[in-house]
Amino acid sequence: LRFAWRTALGRVPSDPEIAILAKALDAQLATYHQDPAAAAALVKIGDLPKPDGVADGELAAWTALGNVLLNLNETITN
């Protein structure tokens, strides 16, 4: 989570920011583990093949989290 934050925002996250990000990831994991069809549909999007050994639900959750990070106002305006 810290690496993803730092990569997207160019700064070290605070502990409260990491807590929020962890909660968001947990919610995405729960969503995509409960709906494997939605996870499979999401991970089919894109040019790169799915990495070996990564479950669709896990990859979909991290993809959604990346979307959250890239759509933060701070990411867009800095």
Side-chain angles (χ1 to χ4, degrees):
L1 291 174
R2 290 182 189 282
F3 176 77
W5 182 279
R6 188 152 187 195
T7 301
L9 290 133
R11 66 172 179 84
V12 176
S14 68
D15 289 338
E17 289 168 333
I18 285 297
I20 292 167
L21 206 58
K23 187 175 179 179
L25 179 59
D26 288 344
Q28 294 299 324
L29 286 167
T31 296
Y32 286 115
H33 285 153
Q34 291 175 3
D35 192 351
L42 179 59
V43 300
K44 287 181 183 176
I45 298 170
D47 294 334
L48 297 175
K50 186 179 96 171
D52 292 334
V54 179
D56 286 351
E58 184 86 13
L59 182 56
W62 280 97
T63 299
L65 188 74
N67 188 41
V68 168
L69 286 169
L70 293 174
N71 282 291
L72 291 172
N73 285 341
E74 185 177 347
T75 307
I76 295 168
T77 60
N78 286 338

Short mmCIF file of all heavy atoms in Angstrom, two decimals:
data_model
loop_
_atom_site.label_atom_id
_atom_site.label_comp_id
_atom_site.label_asym_id
_atom_site.label_seq_id
_atom_site.Cartn_x
_atom_site.Cartn_y
_atom_site.Cartn_z
N LEU A 1 0.82 -1.19 0.00
CA LEU A 1 0.00 0.00 0.00
C LEU A 1 0.86 1.26 0.00
O LEU A 1 0.57 2.22 -0.70
CB LEU A 1 -0.94 -0.01 1.21
CG LEU A 1 -2.06 -1.06 1.20
CD1 LEU A 1 -2.81 -1.04 2.52
CD2 LEU A 1 -2.99 -0.85 0.04
N ARG A 2 1.91 1.23 0.82
CA ARG A 2 2.80 2.39 0.88
C ARG A 2 3.49 2.63 -0.46
O ARG A 2 3.63 3.77 -0.91
CB ARG A 2 3.82 2.23 2.00
CG ARG A 2 3.21 2.33 3.37
CD ARG A 2 4.24 2.21 4.49
NE ARG A 2 3.57 2.10 5.77
CZ ARG A 2 3.04 3.12 6.44
NH1 ARG A 2 3.12 4.34 5.95
NH2 ARG A 2 2.43 2.93 7.59
N PHE A 3 3.91 1.55 -1.11
CA PHE A 3 4.56 1.68 -2.41
C PHE A 3 3.59 2.26 -3.44
O PHE A 3 3.95 3.16 -4.21
CB PHE A 3 5.09 0.33 -2.88
CG PHE A 3 5.68 0.36 -4.26
CD1 PHE A 3 6.94 0.89 -4.47
CD2 PHE A 3 4.97 -0.10 -5.34
CE1 PHE A 3 7.49 0.95 -5.75
CE2 PHE A 3 5.49 -0.05 -6.62
CZ PHE A 3 6.76 0.48 -6.82
N ALA A 4 2.37 1.75 -3.46
CA ALA A 4 1.38 2.24 -4.42
C ALA A 4 1.09 3.72 -4.18
O ALA A 4 1.03 4.51 -5.13
CB ALA A 4 0.10 1.43 -4.31
N TRP A 5 0.94 4.09 -2.92
CA TRP A 5 0.68 5.50 -2.58
C TRP A 5 1.83 6.39 -3.03
O TRP A 5 1.64 7.41 -3.68
CB TRP A 5 0.46 5.63 -1.08
CG TRP A 5 0.14 7.03 -0.64
CD1 TRP A 5 1.03 8.04 -0.43
CD2 TRP A 5 -1.15 7.57 -0.39
NE1 TRP A 5 0.38 9.18 -0.05
CE2 TRP A 5 -0.97 8.92 -0.02
CE3 TRP A 5 -2.44 7.06 -0.44
CZ2 TRP A 5 -2.03 9.75 0.31
CZ3 TRP A 5 -3.49 7.89 -0.11
CH2 TRP A 5 -3.29 9.21 0.25
N ARG A 6 3.03 5.96 -2.68
CA ARG A 6 4.21 6.78 -3.00
C ARG A 6 4.42 6.89 -4.51
O ARG A 6 4.80 7.95 -5.02
CB ARG A 6 5.44 6.20 -2.33
CG ARG A 6 6.62 7.10 -2.48
CD ARG A 6 7.58 6.95 -1.38
NE ARG A 6 8.59 7.99 -1.53
CZ ARG A 6 9.72 8.00 -0.93
NH1 ARG A 6 10.02 7.06 -0.08
NH2 ARG A 6 10.58 8.96 -1.14
N THR A 7 4.15 5.81 -5.22
CA THR A 7 4.28 5.84 -6.68
C THR A 7 3.28 6.80 -7.31
O THR A 7 3.62 7.57 -8.21
CB THR A 7 4.10 4.43 -7.26
OG1 THR A 7 5.09 3.57 -6.69
CG2 THR A 7 4.22 4.42 -8.77
N ALA A 8 2.05 6.78 -6.82
CA ALA A 8 1.01 7.63 -7.40
C ALA A 8 1.13 9.08 -6.98
O ALA A 8 0.92 9.99 -7.79
CB ALA A 8 -0.37 7.10 -7.01
N LEU A 9 1.49 9.31 -5.72
CA LEU A 9 1.45 10.67 -5.19
C LEU A 9 2.82 11.31 -4.99
O LEU A 9 2.91 12.51 -4.75
CB LEU A 9 0.68 10.68 -3.87
CG LEU A 9 -0.81 10.45 -4.10
CD1 LEU A 9 -1.36 9.43 -3.14
CD2 LEU A 9 -1.55 11.74 -4.01
N GLY A 10 3.88 10.53 -5.04
CA GLY A 10 5.22 11.09 -4.91
C GLY A 10 5.58 11.53 -3.51
O GLY A 10 6.47 12.36 -3.34
N ARG A 11 4.89 10.98 -2.52
CA ARG A 11 5.21 11.30 -1.13
C ARG A 11 4.85 10.12 -0.24
O ARG A 11 4.07 9.24 -0.64
CB ARG A 11 4.48 12.55 -0.66
CG ARG A 11 2.98 12.41 -0.57
CD ARG A 11 2.34 13.63 0.08
NE ARG A 11 0.89 13.51 0.14
CZ ARG A 11 0.22 12.86 1.08
NH1 ARG A 11 0.86 12.23 2.05
NH2 ARG A 11 -1.09 12.82 1.06
N VAL A 12 5.40 10.12 0.94
CA VAL A 12 5.13 9.05 1.91
C VAL A 12 3.74 9.29 2.51
O VAL A 12 3.41 10.42 2.89
CB VAL A 12 6.21 9.05 3.02
CG1 VAL A 12 5.89 8.03 4.09
CG2 VAL A 12 7.58 8.80 2.41
N PRO A 13 2.92 8.25 2.61
CA PRO A 13 1.59 8.42 3.19
C PRO A 13 1.65 8.49 4.71
O PRO A 13 2.54 7.94 5.34
CB PRO A 13 0.85 7.17 2.74
CG PRO A 13 1.93 6.14 2.64
CD PRO A 13 3.14 6.88 2.14
N SER A 14 0.67 9.16 5.28
CA SER A 14 0.53 9.19 6.74
C SER A 14 -0.13 7.88 7.19
O SER A 14 -0.72 7.15 6.38
CB SER A 14 -0.32 10.37 7.18
OG SER A 14 -1.66 10.20 6.75
N ASP A 15 -0.04 7.60 8.47
CA ASP A 15 -0.70 6.39 9.00
C ASP A 15 -2.21 6.42 8.77
O ASP A 15 -2.78 5.40 8.38
CB ASP A 15 -0.36 6.20 10.48
CG ASP A 15 1.10 5.79 10.68
OD1 ASP A 15 1.72 5.25 9.73
OD2 ASP A 15 1.61 5.99 11.80
N PRO A 16 -2.89 7.55 9.00
CA PRO A 16 -4.33 7.58 8.71
C PRO A 16 -4.64 7.34 7.22
O PRO A 16 -5.63 6.69 6.89
CB PRO A 16 -4.77 8.98 9.15
CG PRO A 16 -3.77 9.39 10.17
CD PRO A 16 -2.47 8.78 9.71
N GLU A 17 -3.81 7.84 6.34
CA GLU A 17 -4.03 7.61 4.91
C GLU A 17 -3.88 6.13 4.57
O GLU A 17 -4.67 5.59 3.79
CB GLU A 17 -3.06 8.45 4.09
CG GLU A 17 -3.38 9.93 4.13
CD GLU A 17 -2.30 10.82 3.58
OE1 GLU A 17 -1.10 10.45 3.61
OE2 GLU A 17 -2.65 11.93 3.10
N ILE A 18 -2.89 5.48 5.17
CA ILE A 18 -2.72 4.04 4.94
C ILE A 18 -3.89 3.26 5.49
O ILE A 18 -4.35 2.29 4.87
CB ILE A 18 -1.38 3.55 5.54
CG1 ILE A 18 -0.23 4.01 4.66
CG2 ILE A 18 -1.33 2.03 5.70
CD1 ILE A 18 -0.23 3.44 3.25
N ALA A 19 -4.41 3.67 6.64
CA ALA A 19 -5.57 2.99 7.22
C ALA A 19 -6.78 3.08 6.29
O ALA A 19 -7.50 2.10 6.09
CB ALA A 19 -5.89 3.58 8.59
N ILE A 20 -6.99 4.25 5.71
CA ILE A 20 -8.10 4.43 4.78
C ILE A 20 -7.89 3.58 3.53
O ILE A 20 -8.82 2.92 3.04
CB ILE A 20 -8.26 5.92 4.41
CG1 ILE A 20 -8.73 6.72 5.62
CG2 ILE A 20 -9.21 6.10 3.22
CD1 ILE A 20 -8.63 8.22 5.46
N LEU A 21 -6.67 3.57 3.03
CA LEU A 21 -6.36 2.78 1.84
C LEU A 21 -6.54 1.28 2.12
O LEU A 21 -7.09 0.56 1.28
CB LEU A 21 -4.93 3.07 1.40
CG LEU A 21 -4.58 2.87 -0.06
CD1 LEU A 21 -5.46 3.71 -0.96
CD2 LEU A 21 -3.13 3.18 -0.30
N ALA A 22 -6.12 0.82 3.28
CA ALA A 22 -6.28 -0.58 3.66
C ALA A 22 -7.76 -0.95 3.74
O ALA A 22 -8.17 -2.04 3.30
CB ALA A 22 -5.58 -0.87 4.98
N LYS A 23 -8.56 -0.06 4.29
CA LYS A 23 -10.01 -0.30 4.39
C LYS A 23 -10.62 -0.38 2.99
O LYS A 23 -11.47 -1.23 2.73
CB LYS A 23 -10.67 0.81 5.20
CG LYS A 23 -12.11 0.57 5.50
CD LYS A 23 -12.67 1.64 6.43
CE LYS A 23 -14.13 1.41 6.71
NZ LYS A 23 -14.69 2.41 7.60
N ALA A 24 -10.19 0.49 2.09
CA ALA A 24 -10.68 0.46 0.71
C ALA A 24 -10.28 -0.85 0.02
O ALA A 24 -11.10 -1.46 -0.68
CB ALA A 24 -10.15 1.65 -0.07
N LEU A 25 -9.05 -1.30 0.23
CA LEU A 25 -8.61 -2.56 -0.37
C LEU A 25 -9.41 -3.73 0.19
O LEU A 25 -9.84 -4.60 -0.57
CB LEU A 25 -7.11 -2.78 -0.14
CG LEU A 25 -6.54 -4.08 -0.70
CD1 LEU A 25 -6.75 -4.18 -2.21
CD2 LEU A 25 -5.07 -4.20 -0.35
N ASP A 26 -9.63 -3.75 1.48
CA ASP A 26 -10.43 -4.83 2.09
C ASP A 26 -11.83 -4.87 1.50
O ASP A 26 -12.37 -5.95 1.23
CB ASP A 26 -10.50 -4.65 3.61
CG ASP A 26 -9.19 -4.97 4.30
OD1 ASP A 26 -8.31 -5.61 3.68
OD2 ASP A 26 -9.03 -4.55 5.47
N ALA A 27 -12.42 -3.70 1.30
CA ALA A 27 -13.76 -3.64 0.71
C ALA A 27 -13.76 -4.18 -0.71
O ALA A 27 -14.67 -4.92 -1.12
CB ALA A 27 -14.29 -2.21 0.74
N GLN A 28 -12.73 -3.81 -1.49
CA GLN A 28 -12.64 -4.30 -2.87
C GLN A 28 -12.41 -5.81 -2.90
O GLN A 28 -13.00 -6.51 -3.73
CB GLN A 28 -11.52 -3.57 -3.62
CG GLN A 28 -11.78 -2.10 -3.85
CD GLN A 28 -13.01 -1.83 -4.68
OE1 GLN A 28 -13.34 -2.57 -5.61
NE2 GLN A 28 -13.71 -0.77 -4.36
N LEU A 29 -11.57 -6.31 -2.02
CA LEU A 29 -11.34 -7.76 -1.95
C LEU A 29 -12.64 -8.49 -1.64
O LEU A 29 -12.95 -9.51 -2.27
CB LEU A 29 -10.27 -8.08 -0.90
CG LEU A 29 -8.84 -7.75 -1.28
CD1 LEU A 29 -7.93 -7.81 -0.05
CD2 LEU A 29 -8.34 -8.70 -2.37
N ALA A 30 -13.40 -7.99 -0.68
CA ALA A 30 -14.67 -8.62 -0.32
C ALA A 30 -15.63 -8.61 -1.51
O ALA A 30 -16.29 -9.61 -1.81
CB ALA A 30 -15.29 -7.91 0.88
N THR A 31 -15.70 -7.47 -2.19
CA THR A 31 -16.60 -7.35 -3.34
C THR A 31 -16.24 -8.34 -4.43
O THR A 31 -17.11 -9.07 -4.93
CB THR A 31 -16.53 -5.91 -3.90
OG1 THR A 31 -17.01 -5.00 -2.91
CG2 THR A 31 -17.34 -5.77 -5.18
N TYR A 32 -14.97 -8.39 -4.80
CA TYR A 32 -14.58 -9.25 -5.92
C TYR A 32 -14.50 -10.72 -5.55
O TYR A 32 -14.66 -11.58 -6.42
CB TYR A 32 -13.29 -8.74 -6.55
CG TYR A 32 -13.53 -7.50 -7.36
CD1 TYR A 32 -12.98 -6.28 -7.00
CD2 TYR A 32 -14.34 -7.53 -8.48
CE1 TYR A 32 -13.21 -5.13 -7.74
CE2 TYR A 32 -14.60 -6.38 -9.23
CZ TYR A 32 -14.03 -5.20 -8.85
OH TYR A 32 -14.28 -4.06 -9.59
N HIS A 33 -14.31 -11.05 -4.30
CA HIS A 33 -14.37 -12.45 -3.89
C HIS A 33 -15.81 -12.95 -3.88
O HIS A 33 -16.06 -14.13 -4.13
CB HIS A 33 -13.71 -12.66 -2.53
CG HIS A 33 -12.22 -12.60 -2.60
ND1 HIS A 33 -11.43 -12.22 -1.54
CD2 HIS A 33 -11.34 -12.85 -3.60
CE1 HIS A 33 -10.17 -12.24 -1.88
NE2 HIS A 33 -10.09 -12.62 -3.14
N GLN A 34 -16.75 -12.05 -3.62
CA GLN A 34 -18.17 -12.42 -3.65
C GLN A 34 -18.73 -12.44 -5.06
O GLN A 34 -19.78 -13.04 -5.29
CB GLN A 34 -18.99 -11.45 -2.79
CG GLN A 34 -18.72 -11.57 -1.31
CD GLN A 34 -19.45 -10.51 -0.50
OE1 GLN A 34 -20.20 -9.70 -1.03
NE2 GLN A 34 -19.19 -10.50 0.80
N ASP A 35 -18.08 -11.79 -5.99
CA ASP A 35 -18.57 -11.71 -7.37
C ASP A 35 -17.45 -12.05 -8.34
O ASP A 35 -16.88 -11.17 -9.00
CB ASP A 35 -19.12 -10.31 -7.65
CG ASP A 35 -19.90 -10.22 -8.95
OD1 ASP A 35 -19.88 -11.20 -9.74
OD2 ASP A 35 -20.51 -9.17 -9.19
N PRO A 36 -17.12 -13.35 -8.44
CA PRO A 36 -16.02 -13.76 -9.33
C PRO A 36 -16.21 -13.38 -10.79
O PRO A 36 -15.24 -13.12 -11.49
CB PRO A 36 -15.95 -15.28 -9.17
CG PRO A 36 -16.74 -15.60 -7.96
CD PRO A 36 -17.71 -14.48 -7.74
N ALA A 37 -17.46 -13.31 -11.24
CA ALA A 37 -17.71 -12.93 -12.64
C ALA A 37 -17.29 -11.48 -12.88
O ALA A 37 -16.70 -11.17 -13.92
CB ALA A 37 -19.18 -13.14 -12.99
N ALA A 38 -17.57 -10.60 -11.93
CA ALA A 38 -17.17 -9.20 -12.06
C ALA A 38 -15.65 -9.08 -12.04
O ALA A 38 -15.07 -8.30 -12.80
CB ALA A 38 -17.78 -8.36 -10.95
N ALA A 39 -15.01 -9.87 -11.18
CA ALA A 39 -13.54 -9.85 -11.12
C ALA A 39 -12.95 -10.31 -12.44
O ALA A 39 -12.03 -9.69 -12.97
CB ALA A 39 -13.05 -10.73 -9.96
N ALA A 40 -13.47 -11.40 -12.97
CA ALA A 40 -12.96 -11.93 -14.24
C ALA A 40 -13.16 -10.93 -15.37
O ALA A 40 -12.28 -10.76 -16.22
CB ALA A 40 -13.65 -13.25 -14.57
N ALA A 41 -14.30 -10.24 -15.37
CA ALA A 41 -14.56 -9.25 -16.41
C ALA A 41 -13.58 -8.09 -16.32
O ALA A 41 -13.09 -7.60 -17.35
CB ALA A 41 -16.00 -8.74 -16.31
N LEU A 42 -13.29 -7.65 -15.11
CA LEU A 42 -12.37 -6.52 -14.94
C LEU A 42 -10.95 -6.88 -15.37
O LEU A 42 -10.30 -6.10 -16.06
CB LEU A 42 -12.37 -6.03 -13.49
CG LEU A 42 -11.43 -4.87 -13.18
CD1 LEU A 42 -11.75 -3.64 -14.03
CD2 LEU A 42 -11.49 -4.52 -11.70
N VAL A 43 -10.47 -8.05 -14.99
CA VAL A 43 -9.08 -8.39 -15.29
C VAL A 43 -8.85 -8.75 -16.76
O VAL A 43 -7.71 -8.84 -17.20
CB VAL A 43 -8.53 -9.50 -14.36
CG1 VAL A 43 -8.60 -9.06 -12.92
CG2 VAL A 43 -9.25 -10.82 -14.57
N LYS A 44 -9.92 -8.90 -17.52
CA LYS A 44 -9.77 -9.13 -18.96
C LYS A 44 -9.48 -7.84 -19.73
O LYS A 44 -9.05 -7.87 -20.87
CB LYS A 44 -11.03 -9.77 -19.53
CG LYS A 44 -11.20 -11.22 -19.15
CD LYS A 44 -12.45 -11.79 -19.76
CE LYS A 44 -12.64 -13.24 -19.30
NZ LYS A 44 -13.90 -13.80 -19.79
N ILE A 45 -9.71 -6.71 -19.09
CA ILE A 45 -9.51 -5.41 -19.74
C ILE A 45 -8.03 -5.08 -19.75
O ILE A 45 -7.33 -5.30 -18.77
CB ILE A 45 -10.29 -4.30 -18.98
CG1 ILE A 45 -11.78 -4.59 -19.03
CG2 ILE A 45 -9.99 -2.93 -19.56
CD1 ILE A 45 -12.61 -3.72 -18.12
N GLY A 46 -7.54 -4.54 -20.84
CA GLY A 46 -6.15 -4.11 -20.92
C GLY A 46 -5.35 -4.89 -21.93
O GLY A 46 -5.80 -5.89 -22.46
N ASP A 47 -4.15 -4.41 -22.17
CA ASP A 47 -3.29 -5.01 -23.18
C ASP A 47 -2.40 -6.11 -22.65
O ASP A 47 -1.98 -6.98 -23.39
CB ASP A 47 -2.39 -3.93 -23.81
CG ASP A 47 -3.19 -2.90 -24.60
OD1 ASP A 47 -4.28 -3.25 -25.09
OD2 ASP A 47 -2.71 -1.77 -24.73
N LEU A 48 -2.07 -6.05 -21.36
CA LEU A 48 -1.14 -7.03 -20.80
C LEU A 48 -1.87 -8.27 -20.32
O LEU A 48 -3.00 -8.18 -19.83
CB LEU A 48 -0.38 -6.42 -19.62
CG LEU A 48 0.51 -5.22 -19.95
CD1 LEU A 48 1.10 -4.63 -18.67
CD2 LEU A 48 1.60 -5.62 -20.91
N PRO A 49 -1.23 -9.44 -20.44
CA PRO A 49 -1.86 -10.65 -19.92
C PRO A 49 -1.87 -10.64 -18.39
O PRO A 49 -1.06 -9.97 -17.75
CB PRO A 49 -0.96 -11.77 -20.45
CG PRO A 49 0.35 -11.13 -20.70
CD PRO A 49 0.06 -9.70 -21.06
N LYS A 50 -2.80 -11.36 -17.83
CA LYS A 50 -2.89 -11.48 -16.38
C LYS A 50 -1.65 -12.21 -15.86
O LYS A 50 -1.23 -13.22 -16.44
CB LYS A 50 -4.15 -12.26 -16.02
CG LYS A 50 -4.43 -12.33 -14.54
CD LYS A 50 -5.71 -13.10 -14.27
CE LYS A 50 -5.31 -14.51 -13.95
NZ LYS A 50 -6.36 -15.36 -13.47
N PRO A 51 -1.03 -11.72 -14.78
CA PRO A 51 0.15 -12.41 -14.23
C PRO A 51 -0.20 -13.81 -13.74
O PRO A 51 -1.29 -14.04 -13.21
CB PRO A 51 0.56 -11.52 -13.04
CG PRO A 51 -0.15 -10.22 -13.25
CD PRO A 51 -1.36 -10.51 -14.06
N ASP A 52 0.72 -14.73 -13.93
CA ASP A 52 0.52 -16.10 -13.46
C ASP A 52 0.42 -16.14 -11.94
O ASP A 52 1.13 -15.40 -11.24
CB ASP A 52 1.68 -17.00 -13.90
CG ASP A 52 1.71 -17.21 -15.41
OD1 ASP A 52 0.64 -17.12 -16.04
OD2 ASP A 52 2.80 -17.47 -15.95
N GLY A 53 -0.46 -16.98 -11.44
CA GLY A 53 -0.55 -17.20 -10.01
C GLY A 53 -1.31 -16.15 -9.22
O GLY A 53 -1.30 -16.18 -8.00
N VAL A 54 -1.94 -15.20 -9.91
CA VAL A 54 -2.70 -14.16 -9.22
C VAL A 54 -4.18 -14.42 -9.46
O VAL A 54 -4.62 -14.50 -10.62
CB VAL A 54 -2.32 -12.75 -9.73
CG1 VAL A 54 -3.15 -11.68 -9.03
CG2 VAL A 54 -0.84 -12.49 -9.54
N ALA A 55 -4.94 -14.55 -8.38
CA ALA A 55 -6.37 -14.80 -8.49
C ALA A 55 -7.08 -13.57 -9.07
O ALA A 55 -6.67 -12.43 -8.82
CB ALA A 55 -6.94 -15.14 -7.12
N ASP A 56 -8.15 -13.83 -9.82
CA ASP A 56 -8.90 -12.73 -10.43
C ASP A 56 -9.39 -11.73 -9.39
O ASP A 56 -9.30 -10.52 -9.60
CB ASP A 56 -10.09 -13.26 -11.22
CG ASP A 56 -9.71 -13.93 -12.52
OD1 ASP A 56 -8.53 -13.84 -12.93
OD2 ASP A 56 -10.60 -14.54 -13.15
N GLY A 57 -9.90 -12.21 -8.27
CA GLY A 57 -10.41 -11.33 -7.23
C GLY A 57 -9.34 -10.43 -6.65
O GLY A 57 -9.58 -9.24 -6.41
N GLU A 58 -8.17 -10.99 -6.45
CA GLU A 58 -7.04 -10.21 -5.92
C GLU A 58 -6.60 -9.14 -6.91
O GLU A 58 -6.41 -7.97 -6.56
CB GLU A 58 -5.88 -11.15 -5.60
CG GLU A 58 -4.70 -10.51 -4.97
CD GLU A 58 -4.80 -10.39 -3.46
OE1 GLU A 58 -5.67 -11.02 -2.86
OE2 GLU A 58 -3.99 -9.64 -2.90
N LEU A 59 -6.45 -9.53 -8.17
CA LEU A 59 -6.02 -8.59 -9.19
C LEU A 59 -7.06 -7.50 -9.41
O LEU A 59 -6.72 -6.32 -9.55
CB LEU A 59 -5.72 -9.32 -10.50
CG LEU A 59 -5.20 -8.48 -11.65
CD1 LEU A 59 -3.93 -7.72 -11.27
CD2 LEU A 59 -4.94 -9.37 -12.86
N ALA A 60 -8.33 -7.88 -9.41
CA ALA A 60 -9.39 -6.89 -9.59
C ALA A 60 -9.41 -5.90 -8.44
O ALA A 60 -9.58 -4.69 -8.66
CB ALA A 60 -10.74 -7.60 -9.71
N ALA A 61 -9.22 -6.37 -7.22
CA ALA A 61 -9.22 -5.48 -6.06
C ALA A 61 -8.07 -4.48 -6.13
O ALA A 61 -8.26 -3.29 -5.88
CB ALA A 61 -9.15 -6.29 -4.78
N TRP A 62 -6.89 -4.95 -6.48
CA TRP A 62 -5.74 -4.04 -6.60
C TRP A 62 -5.91 -3.08 -7.78
O TRP A 62 -5.48 -1.93 -7.72
CB TRP A 62 -4.44 -4.83 -6.70
CG TRP A 62 -3.97 -5.29 -5.35
CD1 TRP A 62 -4.17 -6.53 -4.80
CD2 TRP A 62 -3.25 -4.53 -4.39
NE1 TRP A 62 -3.62 -6.56 -3.54
CE2 TRP A 62 -3.04 -5.36 -3.26
CE3 TRP A 62 -2.75 -3.24 -4.37
CZ2 TRP A 62 -2.35 -4.93 -2.14
CZ3 TRP A 62 -2.07 -2.81 -3.23
CH2 TRP A 62 -1.87 -3.65 -2.14
N THR A 63 -6.55 -3.55 -8.84
CA THR A 63 -6.82 -2.68 -9.97
C THR A 63 -7.76 -1.55 -9.55
O THR A 63 -7.53 -0.37 -9.89
CB THR A 63 -7.44 -3.48 -11.13
OG1 THR A 63 -6.51 -4.49 -11.54
CG2 THR A 63 -7.80 -2.60 -12.32
N ALA A 64 -8.80 -1.90 -8.81
CA ALA A 64 -9.74 -0.90 -8.32
C ALA A 64 -9.05 0.08 -7.37
O ALA A 64 -9.30 1.29 -7.41
CB ALA A 64 -10.92 -1.58 -7.63
N LEU A 65 -8.16 -0.43 -6.54
CA LEU A 65 -7.42 0.44 -5.63
C LEU A 65 -6.51 1.40 -6.41
O LEU A 65 -6.40 2.57 -6.06
CB LEU A 65 -6.59 -0.38 -4.64
CG LEU A 65 -5.96 0.45 -3.53
CD1 LEU A 65 -7.02 0.89 -2.53
CD2 LEU A 65 -4.86 -0.32 -2.85
N GLY A 66 -5.89 0.90 -7.45
CA GLY A 66 -5.08 1.77 -8.31
C GLY A 66 -5.93 2.88 -8.92
O GLY A 66 -5.49 4.03 -9.02
N ASN A 67 -7.14 2.54 -9.29
CA ASN A 67 -8.06 3.54 -9.82
C ASN A 67 -8.36 4.60 -8.78
O ASN A 67 -8.41 5.80 -9.09
CB ASN A 67 -9.34 2.85 -10.29
CG ASN A 67 -10.27 3.77 -11.03
OD1 ASN A 67 -9.83 4.58 -11.82
ND2 ASN A 67 -11.55 3.65 -10.77
N VAL A 68 -8.56 4.18 -7.55
CA VAL A 68 -8.79 5.14 -6.45
C VAL A 68 -7.61 6.10 -6.33
O VAL A 68 -7.77 7.32 -6.27
CB VAL A 68 -9.03 4.41 -5.12
CG1 VAL A 68 -8.97 5.36 -3.93
CG2 VAL A 68 -10.36 3.67 -5.14
N LEU A 69 -6.41 5.54 -6.30
CA LEU A 69 -5.21 6.37 -6.13
C LEU A 69 -5.04 7.36 -7.30
O LEU A 69 -4.70 8.52 -7.09
CB LEU A 69 -3.96 5.50 -6.01
CG LEU A 69 -3.79 4.78 -4.70
CD1 LEU A 69 -2.67 3.76 -4.81
CD2 LEU A 69 -3.51 5.77 -3.58
N LEU A 70 -5.26 6.88 -8.49
CA LEU A 70 -5.06 7.74 -9.66
C LEU A 70 -6.14 8.80 -9.83
O LEU A 70 -5.95 9.75 -10.58
CB LEU A 70 -4.94 6.89 -10.93
CG LEU A 70 -3.69 6.02 -10.98
CD1 LEU A 70 -3.74 5.10 -12.19
CD2 LEU A 70 -2.43 6.84 -10.97
N ASN A 71 -7.24 8.65 -9.13
CA ASN A 71 -8.32 9.62 -9.22
C ASN A 71 -8.41 10.55 -8.02
O ASN A 71 -9.34 11.34 -7.92
CB ASN A 71 -9.66 8.91 -9.45
CG ASN A 71 -9.79 8.49 -10.89
OD1 ASN A 71 -9.91 9.32 -11.77
ND2 ASN A 71 -9.71 7.19 -11.14
N LEU A 72 -7.44 10.48 -7.11
CA LEU A 72 -7.41 11.42 -6.00
C LEU A 72 -7.12 12.83 -6.53
O LEU A 72 -6.32 13.00 -7.46
CB LEU A 72 -6.32 11.03 -4.99
CG LEU A 72 -6.56 9.76 -4.19
CD1 LEU A 72 -5.31 9.41 -3.39
CD2 LEU A 72 -7.76 9.93 -3.26
N ASN A 73 -7.74 13.82 -5.94
CA ASN A 73 -7.46 15.20 -6.36
C ASN A 73 -5.97 15.51 -6.30
O ASN A 73 -5.42 16.18 -7.17
CB ASN A 73 -8.23 16.19 -5.48
CG ASN A 73 -9.70 16.23 -5.83
OD1 ASN A 73 -10.11 15.82 -6.90
ND2 ASN A 73 -10.50 16.71 -4.90
N GLU A 74 -5.31 15.03 -5.27
CA GLU A 74 -3.88 15.30 -5.11
C GLU A 74 -3.07 14.69 -6.26
O GLU A 74 -2.09 15.28 -6.71
CB GLU A 74 -3.40 14.74 -3.78
CG GLU A 74 -1.96 15.07 -3.46
CD GLU A 74 -1.49 14.59 -2.10
OE1 GLU A 74 -2.33 14.20 -1.27
OE2 GLU A 74 -0.27 14.60 -1.88
N THR A 75 -3.47 13.53 -6.73
CA THR A 75 -2.77 12.90 -7.85
C THR A 75 -2.96 13.71 -9.12
O THR A 75 -2.03 13.92 -9.89
CB THR A 75 -3.28 11.46 -8.07
OG1 THR A 75 -3.21 10.74 -6.85
CG2 THR A 75 -2.48 10.75 -9.13
N ILE A 76 -4.16 14.16 -9.33
CA ILE A 76 -4.51 14.86 -10.57
C ILE A 76 -3.90 16.25 -10.62
O ILE A 76 -3.42 16.71 -11.66
CB ILE A 76 -6.04 14.93 -10.74
CG1 ILE A 76 -6.59 13.50 -10.92
CG2 ILE A 76 -6.43 15.82 -11.90
CD1 ILE A 76 -8.09 13.41 -10.81
N THR A 77 -3.88 16.95 -9.49
CA THR A 77 -3.46 18.35 -9.50
C THR A 77 -1.98 18.56 -9.22
O THR A 77 -1.48 19.67 -9.38
CB THR A 77 -4.28 19.17 -8.49
OG1 THR A 77 -4.09 18.63 -7.17
CG2 THR A 77 -5.74 19.18 -8.84
N ASN A 78 -1.27 17.53 -8.78
CA ASN A 78 0.17 17.72 -8.49
C ASN A 78 1.03 17.17 -9.57
O ASN A 78 0.92 16.36 -10.27
CB ASN A 78 0.55 17.08 -7.16
CG ASN A 78 0.03 17.91 -6.00
OD1 ASN A 78 -0.22 19.09 -6.15
ND2 ASN A 78 -0.14 17.29 -4.87
#
